[in-house]
Amino acid sequence: QVQLVQSGAEVKKPGASVKISCKASGYSFTSHAFSWARQAPGQGLEWMGWVSAYTGDTNYAQNLQGRVTLTTDASTSTAYMELRSLRSDDTAVYYCSRMGMPATIGDYWGQGTLVTVSS
Amino acid sequence: QSALTQPRSVSGSPGQAVTISCTGTSSDVGKFDYVSWYQQPPGRAPKLMIYDVSKRPSGVPDRFSGSKSGNTASLTISGLQADDEADYYCSSYAGSYTYVFGTGTKVTVL
């Protein structure tokens, strides 16, 4: 069965970077793209961007352009999300998802990773 | 890209039907038939309930149905059950390989 397992919670200081992993199993890794979303405490979901696991093509939400990088590693069936220049309002649970065809953000989701940004 | 607009909350008694609206624009919901709905219980990850406006993934009960008219999509839950209580989010493809979520709706079973 399809599973997405994310790395554990992180605590970072303002200005630092964080890199979260999302290990996929149960399907052909390069057959689906990955999307990332985040959810601040008590708030709604915010789409961050997507990355093709086949070509490496990416597209990012405008408000995160320049601070976020999405990548994949087919040799380990893992997707990554790196966010730089962290601010307190980046504190959130970050989710990876496998994109459904042709244009669904997530037909399967990871369990989420809490990133806390605090001095 | 602004979030799609959903009511903050809807409620119903067991067995009743509730409908959640998701209003976007002619650039997202109104332009593409790529609206999805997600169920998110407290403290859990989202789960896909409807995709491509009205299609149900395998395993999702047929009590859940989706539709769209103009710039507004809707999710209807028929025969409301206690374990339907959760937050529900819509999302839409918005062109140029971008996506947008709705503001979220809390469903309460009375």
Side-chain angles (χ1 to χ4, degrees):
Chain A
Q1 74 283 21
V2 176
Q3 279 196 306
L4 302 179
V5 179
Q6 298 183 220
S7 50
E10 303 261 13
V11 179
K12 297 291 184 181
K13 293 193 182 303
S17 299
V18 68
K19 190 170 185 176
I20 299 169
S21 66
C22 171
K23 185 169 178 59
S25 61
Y27 72 99
S28 175
F29 181 76
T30 56
S31 64
H32 290 260
F34 285 86
S35 182
W36 289 82
R38 67 181 180 177
Q39 188 169 36
Q43 302 300 309
L45 294 166
E46 177 189 8
W47 180 74
M48 299 178 66
W50 67 267
V51 55
S52 168
Y54 183 67
T55 65
D57 288 347
T58 57
N59 201 45
Y60 303 119
Q62 198 167 11
N63 65 319
L64 293 170
Q65 286 270 6
R67 286 209 300 138
V68 65
T69 301
L70 302 181
T71 56
T72 60
D73 182 348
S75 69
T76 58
S77 299
T78 303
Y80 297 93
M81 187 285 296
E82 181 179 31
L83 188 61
R84 299 176 294 278
S85 301
L86 289 169
R87 311 186 292 243
S88 58
D89 62 357
D90 292 318
T91 293
V93 176
Y94 289 75
Y95 292 101
C96 66
S97 61
R98 189 186 83 162
M99 294 190 72
M101 300 180 194
T104 300
I105 288 177
D107 57 2
Y108 290 90
W109 292 70
Q111 82 276 20
T113 297
L114 175 62
V115 175
T116 303
V117 183
S118 173
S119 54
Chain B
Q1 183 71 43
S2 298
L4 309 175
T5 300
Q6 298 180 231
R8 289 187 65 89
S9 64
V10 298
S11 61
S13 300
Q16 287 187 328
V18 295
T19 296
I20 304 168
S21 61
C22 169
T23 301
T25 69
S26 57
S27 297
D28 40 58
V29 175
K31 188 171 184 178
F32 304 101
D33 287 335
Y34 296 136
V35 175
S36 302
W37 289 90
Y38 301 90
Q39 177 192 65
Q40 187 181 34
R44 303 287 299 275
K47 175 188 174 184
L48 179 66
M49 304 302 284
I50 296 287
Y51 68 100
D52 295 356
V53 175
S54 60
K55 297 177 182 176
R56 269 189 316 275
S58 173
V60 172
D62 59 7
R63 301 185 296 104
F64 292 84
S65 61
S67 62
K68 189 184 87 167
S69 177
N71 296 338
T72 298
S74 298
L75 173 72
T76 298
I77 309 173
S78 305
L80 199 61
Q81 298 180 359
D83 61 1
D84 296 334
E85 195 161 282
D87 292 329
Y88 289 80
Y89 293 89
C90 61
S91 72
S92 176
Y93 180 63
S96 300
Y97 302 102
T98 66
Y99 294 80
V100 62
F101 280 107
T103 51
T105 299
K106 181 177 180 61
V107 170
T108 301
V109 181
L110 301 172

